[in-house]
């Protein structure tokens, strides 16, 4: 919704003397507030934070506070640094110009210091700030070159729950620069990523970003080895495939497909043994266009191998399997579909108890 100052149509309405006096008064008050920040007043930083929490207009009008807040961020006093950090975080939210202004003002160096703080609250705030700043395409290469990646992975391993969630999202933002993928892999992110996936809700935004990051990293053999060496690693992705959000499932099937395409003989049975087939079949009908396409390709790679249990009703499953079999060359596609279905049901009955026991061991 536009602020009253931005609205205009036809003839302008008369402005009352009181309203006319209010605007210069507000501008003067905001200038005075910036001067107080410049003088190092912690309460002024807190007031900037309050005003910019939910007001895009105040974020724009208080952009002049960025430089003095960054100076305050360097303060040796944790109270002042924390107040400045939270004010800068609010100034950056949904404001591209402020995001770049904050980085240009030199905020990264003190932010990286707070990432290493023993005060977990300050570490959390700094991680949230880097998440917000890394959403800017202009800032991404600068943050990447600053040495933030190893510190974010360290937070992913050791931070509090909120800091871990923000760290994985910041790493995902930075992973969109292809050259950063090797830098991320070099600091062993797979164990904490899998731990985060196991411990959270499969349909959460955090799970979405974990799977999106894994999908990119699995293009590298180093990541595939690390994932399959991690107990329950592939299973964690399969669970997102089954229970995740639409975006999470899209990235989960993409991650599994990347693995299988890299070495079908090495990863096909591993994926099957973790019960991926039911989720893949459902995805061919209920997924996004990308995930439906990826699910069909992966199912084609997995065919003619033992299939695991199915959660779907038999008639639905038969229709889905017929759909998959339509991709197979040759005659008697319907017969092949029925054969696939019978094989899946048989293997499902044999593997159901073992699979549930294995899944319970990771709960």
């Amino acid at each position: 919704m536009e602020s009253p100052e931005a609205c205009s149509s036809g003839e302008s309405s008369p402005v009352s003397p009181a309203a006319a006096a209010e605007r210069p008064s507000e501008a003067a008050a905001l200038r005075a507030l910036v001067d107080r920040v410049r003088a190092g007043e912690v309460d002024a930083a807190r007031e900037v934070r309050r005003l910019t929490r939910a007001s895009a207009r105040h974020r724009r009008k208080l952009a002049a506070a960025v430089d003095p807040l960054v100076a305050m961020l360097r303060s040796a006093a944790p109270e002042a640094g924390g107040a400045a950090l939270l004010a800068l975080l609010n100034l950056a939210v949904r404001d591209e110009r402020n995001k770049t202004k904050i980085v240009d003002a030199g905020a990264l160096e003190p932010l990286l210091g707070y990432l290493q703080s023993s005060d977990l609250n300050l570490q959390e705030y700094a991680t949230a700030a880097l998440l917000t700043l890394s959403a800017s395409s202009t800032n991404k290469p600068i943050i990447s070159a600053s040495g933030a990646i190893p510190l974010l992975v360290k937070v992913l391993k050791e931070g509090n729950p909120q800091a871990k969630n923000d760290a994985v999202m910041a790493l995902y933002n930075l992973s969109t620069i292809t050259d950063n993928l090797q830098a991320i892999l070099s600091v062993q992110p797979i164990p904490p990523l899998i731990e985060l996936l196991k411990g959270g809700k499969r349909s959460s935004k955090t799970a979405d970003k974990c799977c999106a990051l894994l999908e990119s990293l699995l293009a590298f053999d180093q990541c595939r080895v690390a994932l399959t060496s991690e107990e329950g690693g592939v299973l964690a992705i399969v669970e997102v495939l089954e229970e995740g959000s639409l975006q999470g499932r899209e990235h989960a099937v993409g991650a599994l497909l990347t693995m299988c395409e890299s070495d079908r003989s090495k990863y096909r049975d591993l994926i099957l043994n973790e019960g991926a087939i039911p989720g893949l079949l459902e995805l061919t009908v209920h997924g996004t266009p990308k995930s439906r396409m990826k699910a069909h390709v992966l199912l084609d790679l997995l065919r003619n191998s033992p299939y695991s249990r199915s959660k779907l009703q038999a008639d639905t499953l038969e229709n889905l399997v017929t759909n998959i079999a339509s991709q197979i060359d040759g005659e008697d596609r319907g017969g092949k579909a029925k054969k696939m279905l019978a094989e899946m049901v048989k293997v499902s009955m044999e593997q159901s108890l073992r699979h549930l026991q294995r899944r319970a061991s990771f709960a």
Side-chain angles (χ1 to χ4, degrees):
M1 181 176 177
E2 288 185 310
S3 62
E5 293 93 327
C7 295
S8 62
S9 61
E11 295 182 6
S12 58
S13 301
V15 179
S16 70
E22 183 181 0
R23 290 178 187 169
S25 174
E26 182 194 37
L30 294 178
R31 283 196 300 271
L33 179 59
V34 173
D35 288 340
R36 289 171 56 206
V37 175
R38 195 171 284 115
E41 288 188 32
V42 175
D43 284 344
R46 293 192 181 111
E47 180 65 5
V48 172
R49 177 195 178 195
R50 184 188 70 80
L51 290 172
T52 56
R53 181 179 288 119
S55 171
R57 183 171 63 89
H58 278 116
R59 288 182 200 123
R60 175 59 37 232
K61 289 181 176 293
L62 284 167
V66 166
D67 286 320
L69 283 168
V70 170
M72 190 182 290
L73 196 62
R74 300 177 185 276
S75 170
E79 185 182 24
L85 205 167
L86 290 169
L88 287 167
L89 177 57
N90 281 0
L91 280 164
V93 171
R94 299 187 187 92
D95 193 305
E96 284 299 306
R97 281 183 288 180
N98 280 350
K99 283 182 176 73
T100 56
K101 187 178 177 68
I102 289 167
V103 170
D104 290 344
L108 287 181
E109 183 184 349
L111 282 176
L112 297 186
Y114 284 118
L115 275 188
Q116 302 170 77
S117 174
S118 58
D119 184 326
L120 292 183
N121 286 327
L122 288 176
Q123 186 186 82
E124 177 189 327
Y125 303 152
T127 308
L130 280 171
L131 165 58
T132 302
L133 295 173
S134 66
S136 164
S137 58
T138 303
N139 287 343
K140 285 179 186 180
I142 303 170
I143 295 172
S144 304
S146 72
I149 286 173
L151 297 177
L152 286 168
V153 173
K154 192 170 190 293
V155 172
L156 185 60
K157 294 175 181 177
E158 302 171 5
N160 67 29
Q162 185 58 54
K164 288 181 178 182
N165 290 342
D166 289 345
V168 75
M169 293 185 193
L171 286 167
Y172 168 74
N173 285 346
L174 297 177
S175 75
T176 59
I177 297 178
T178 306
D179 290 346
N180 284 339
L181 293 173
Q182 285 283 17
I184 295 170
L185 272 176
S186 70
V187 281
Q188 288 79 52
I190 303 306
L193 280 173
I194 295 304
E195 184 181 347
L196 199 60
L197 266 184
K198 289 179 181 178
K201 191 176 180 182
R202 306 296 184 267
S203 58
S204 67
K205 191 172 182 180
T206 299
D208 292 353
K209 296 303 182 185
C210 277
C211 285
L213 183 54
L214 285 167
E215 183 179 8
S216 296
L217 294 174
L218 282 165
F220 299 88
D221 185 61
Q222 180 183 348
C223 179
R224 296 191 293 271
V225 170
L227 179 68
T228 53
S229 300
E230 191 69 20
E231 194 169 29
V234 176
L235 177 60
I237 297 175
V238 170
E239 288 179 336
V240 176
L241 178 74
E242 293 179 337
E243 305 166 22
S245 69
L246 283 174
Q247 283 301 115
R249 297 178 79 189
E250 182 179 305
H251 292 304
V253 69
L256 296 173
L257 178 60
T258 298
M259 289 179 68
C260 203
E261 284 182 325
S262 72
D263 192 333
R264 181 172 181 260
S265 62
K266 184 175 182 178
Y267 297 115
R268 184 182 60 185
D269 288 346
L270 178 60
I271 294 169
L272 286 169
N273 289 338
E274 296 297 5
I277 291 294
L280 288 172
L281 288 169
E282 187 178 354
L283 210 55
T284 62
V285 174
H286 299 301
T288 65
K290 281 186 180 179
S291 57
R292 289 201 299 269
M293 178 191 70
K294 290 176 181 179
H296 276 295
V297 174
L298 183 53
L299 282 164
D300 194 50
L301 289 170
L302 297 175
R303 71 187 186 192
N304 299 327
S305 294
Y307 292 111
S308 59
R309 63 179 176 79
S310 171
K311 292 181 177 178
L312 304 178
Q313 295 297 321
D315 57 342
T316 303
L317 184 58
E318 183 168 2
N319 288 336
L320 292 174
V321 174
T322 301
N323 182 274
I324 296 161
S326 69
Q327 299 179 56
I328 303 173
D329 296 330
E331 301 297 326
D332 193 24
R333 290 171 176 171
K336 290 183 180 181
K338 290 178 181 179
K339 184 178 178 181
M340 289 170 68
L341 175 60
E343 184 181 4
M344 289 169 64
V345 172
K346 180 173 180 284
V347 174
S348 174
M349 293 173 65
E350 293 172 351
Q351 293 186 346
S352 177
L353 179 60
R354 180 184 63 80
H355 186 77
L356 289 173
Q357 288 173 335
R358 174 174 172 77
R359 194 169 275 203
S361 72
F362 296 119

